[in-house]
Amino acid sequence: MTVMAVNMAQKRARKAQRRKELATLARREDALQNSLPARVARAAQAPIRGCYVNEALFEIGMGTLVVARGATIHYVVMAAFLLDTFALGIKDVTFEQVEGEIFDHYMDRMDETSPIVTVDPAYARRLLRELAAWSKGLGFAPHRNFAAVERIFGDISADASDAVFQFGHQGEPLLIGGPSDSMVDVSRRSEQIEKYLADRAGDVA
């Protein structure tokens, strides 16, 4: 009887361990399916509704680029990239699914702040990639979610656009401090730009 009891206990322990392992796998699978890269990949399968950017982006150096996808007018998956074309590049990235009315309201508010224009998706992707590469050369990496969210473009090729962009202010990087920037941030970024300019002057010399 003692041996049988031990065997039964071992079987129950193995079953409990197996249930625990299956539950862990299920949680991991759920987390994977709801991760940012997975949600972006699913969104990239929906039709493009439009790409929009502030018309004065290159004049004022700041603006937002929005990519919207959706199979119906009722729900929209949108990616918004906060851009600094004077120095910092891709400052912020958001990705969310919203109701169509909320999306329209968001775009109306954006247009009121600074008029927006519709751009070709290939143009938009080329702009993001080239801005990210340029600002990274200054020492400013794009927002941590940029690589994942940028995939919302799916199979749209940046090479399909022949647009040429000039970043910086009159060809030179220019730092524009924001209301949320600390003195430490401004000082550090200024030093990075000064170093970039000094290194470039050394290369020319």
Side-chain angles (χ1 to χ4, degrees), residues 4-74:
M4 291 180 62
V6 170
N7 288 340
M8 290 294 292
Q10 290 176 339
K11 287 182 180 179
R12 285 195 292 269
R14 286 196 293 269
K15 287 182 179 179
Q17 180 62 28
R18 180 58 178 163
R19 286 195 296 270
K20 184 177 180 181
E21 291 173 352
L22 290 174
T24 299
L25 289 173
R27 286 195 296 271
R28 288 177 179 173
E29 180 64 22
D30 183 64
L32 181 63
Q33 290 298 318
N34 289 289
S35 67
L36 180 60
R39 289 186 288 121
V40 172
R42 289 194 295 271
Q45 304 304 311
I48 284 273
R49 287 193 59 174
C51 294
Y52 315 91
V53 69
N54 295 108
E55 187 175 20
L57 172 66
F58 292 98
E59 296 173 16
I60 63 177
M62 294 289 292
T64 302
L65 187 151
V66 175
V67 183
R69 284 185 177 269
T72 71
I73 61 173
H74 302 294

Side-chain angles (χ1 to χ4, degrees), residues 55-195:
E55 187 175 20
L57 172 66
F58 292 98
E59 296 173 16
I60 63 177
M62 294 289 292
T64 302
L65 187 151
V66 175
V67 183
R69 284 185 177 269
T72 71
I73 61 173
H74 302 294
Y75 291 97
V76 179
V77 179
M78 59 174 285
F81 304 85
L82 179 61
L83 310 182
D84 176 351
T85 63
F86 280 178
L88 302 181
I90 317 296
K91 293 188 63 176
D92 195 16
V93 177
T94 59
F95 176 83
E96 57 184 324
Q97 177 175 315
V98 298
E99 294 181 1
E101 291 183 0
I102 295 177
F103 173 76
D104 292 339
H105 178 69
Y106 174 86
M107 296 306 299
D108 287 342
R109 291 291 299 274
M110 180 175 163
D111 188 57
E112 289 174 3
T113 303
S114 178
I116 59 174
V117 292
T118 302
V119 295
D120 184 78
Y123 172 100
R125 192 168 206 178
R126 187 182 185 93
L127 169 58
L128 289 175
R129 288 189 171 180
E130 292 197 2
L131 177 58
W134 177 78
S135 62
K136 190 173 183 179
L138 299 178
F140 305 116
H143 187 272
R144 62 184 180 278
N145 290 335
F146 172 67
V149 178
E150 193 264 351
R151 294 190 177 96
I152 193 173
F153 286 96
D155 59 1
I156 294 169
S157 174
D159 294 333
S161 172
D162 57 2
V164 177
F165 307 106
Q166 182 177 11
F167 304 121
H169 178 65
Q170 297 180 351
E172 299 291 341
L174 175 65
L175 185 62
I176 302 176
S180 62
D181 293 331
S182 67
M183 292 299 295
V184 174
D185 289 334
V186 173
S187 177
R188 176 177 55 81
R189 292 166 180 170
S190 297
E191 289 176 0
Q192 287 179 245
I193 290 179
E194 289 173 4
K195 182 180 183 303

